Amino acid sequence: MSSENLPQSTEQQLRKPRVAVVFGGRSSEHGISVVTAGAVLNAIDRTKYDVLPIGITTDGRWALTADEPERMAITDRKMPDVARLAESDKGGVVLSVDPGSREVVYSEPGAVPRALGEVDVVFPVLHGPYGEDGTLQGLLELSGVPYVGAGVLASAVGQDKEYMKRVFTSFGLPVGPYVVVRPREWDQDPEAARKRIVAFAGDHGWPLFVKPARAGSSIGITKVEDASGLDGAIEEARRHDPKFLVESLLRGREIECGVLEFEDGPRASAPAEIPPVTSHDFYDFEAKYIDAASGIVPAPLTEDQTAEVQRLAVEAFEAASCEGLVRADFFLTEDGGFVINEINTLPGFTPISMFPRMWQESGVDYPQLVDRLIQAALNRPTGLR
């Protein structure tokens, strides 16, 4: 029997839905995930939902944490982390993989395991590998627990920039020039890979951007002005992912657009523009989160340009089989056309992040946004869909 057909107990019918907010994780985006969790915990309506915060440490332990959003903020330019928020440095949280039970159990060495009750929906705010890439989503599918956001396939496609671009290309979406270097290729013949990148630069010009294939928040990205900077950029990208991409510089304006799933299907938000950041080479991690570089919402576009980027954002959402939410990032090039750079299936969700700001401009404030995502997840069937 699938979990969506299981009858609800009297206790389930009477109590408020319990939302597990899962955050932290093993990726290099651990800190910003904790910041995002603080914002989400602040916004959840406690008159409608019970909340269970679960942090995942950088070594992968699921930890029970206090419900204290104020401790999850950036302080003195330093990111928070789960290890400092955990109630114990040894205890662990376990979610049953039996789809007939959504029970969460907490245990410590030498102690009797403690039941924390059933979870009705998971709100994952993990960014990057081991959270945003379909791995967590696969676990939740096995457990029969509804969750906010994209499923296994869309999460994996949205995390891997190579396959994301391949999917978009197959659906006729405009994608910029790029080249991929896989781990085996680099390990067996780095000189040949280097020559291929230099040849790519000969076709498309310098500067180039070297990126980890499966990282986000602009972590590990280097702008390379000429061949002399290539090795350092590759080393930095491979610190985060053994597979990396090289992209040509697209000259134009950076435009973002949010997509949110409504009862009648996905809709696009008012778009935003990321203006040039004079204190940084590009819109990197520090510009986004530490120095709080602000975008322009709504983007100063014509009506036709706005309609076009909204259309493309929804098409990208559908092409990758997304659910819940997506932020789609574009370049408006000098010839007047849009090129899609990437999608984020679990986009930045802090108070200064662009996705909430775009939906605020579109009439959905932050608490409403959080509530809509939870309700959509609760109403979505588990299993194949």
Side-chain angles (χ1 to χ4, degrees), residues 51-64:
V51 177
L52 178 65
I54 300 174
I56 301 178
T57 63
T58 53
D59 60 2
R61 179 172 62 92
W62 288 44
L64 189 61

Side-chain angles (χ1 to χ4, degrees), residues 6-241:
L6 289 172
Q8 286 192 322
S9 67
T10 303
E11 189 268 341
Q12 283 178 310
Q13 294 170 0
L14 293 177
R15 65 172 172 80
K16 294 182 287 188
R18 182 172 291 115
V19 182
V21 178
V22 180
F23 61 96
R26 295 163 57 187
S27 83
S28 51
E29 298 175 81
H30 178 98
I32 199 60
S33 172
V34 179
V35 176
T36 301
V40 171
L41 287 169
N42 262 327
I44 292 178
D45 184 349
R46 304 308 176 94
T47 67
K48 291 179 64 174
Y49 307 105
D50 287 328
V51 177
L52 178 65
I54 300 174
I56 301 178
T57 63
T58 53
D59 60 2
R61 179 172 62 92
W62 288 44
L64 189 61
T65 67
D67 186 3
E68 298 176 356
E70 65 278 2
R71 294 176 57 201
M72 301 180 182
I74 299 172
T75 306
D76 298 327
R77 300 175 68 87
K78 293 181 181 178
M79 288 287 176
D81 67 74
V82 169
R84 289 199 291 267
L85 297 166
E87 292 190 356
S88 164
D89 61 359
K90 295 179 181 178
V93 174
V94 177
L95 176 66
S96 171
V97 293
D98 176 2
S101 170
R102 297 173 179 176
E103 188 80 20
V104 176
V105 175
Y106 177 75
S107 62
E108 290 191 32
V112 176
R114 173 161 53 101
L116 301 177
E118 292 193 344
V119 166
D120 297 293
V121 63
V122 169
F123 198 131
V125 291
L126 295 139
H127 302 301
Y130 312 109
E132 189 180 353
D133 60 351
T135 50
L136 175 67
Q137 289 75 13
L139 171 65
L140 297 173
E141 292 286 354
L142 286 173
S143 302
V145 179
Y147 54 92
V148 168
V152 175
L153 173 65
S155 296
V157 168
Q159 186 64 40
D160 190 312
K161 293 178 175 63
E162 176 192 359
Y163 287 100
M164 181 196 310
K165 291 175 186 293
R166 290 181 183 275
V167 167
F168 290 158
T169 300
S170 72
F171 276 82
L173 290 161
V175 173
Y178 70 98
V179 63
V180 178
V181 179
R182 296 167 178 269
R184 186 180 295 114
E185 178 185 1
W186 182 258
D187 292 338
Q188 291 181 352
D189 196 346
E191 189 56 36
R194 253 188 231 100
K195 287 180 180 177
R196 191 155 65 90
I197 295 168
V198 172
F200 176 80
D203 292 336
H204 300 285
W206 299 92
L208 302 175
F209 288 91
V210 179
K211 301 180 175 183
R214 294 161 290 195
S217 295
S218 299
I219 289 174
I221 298 177
T222 306
K223 183 179 180 182
V224 182
E225 299 292 344
D226 54 46
S228 65
L230 202 51
D231 283 356
I234 292 170
E235 182 180 349
E236 172 60 17
R238 281 174 55 84
R239 281 201 316 115
H240 303 278
D241 189 342

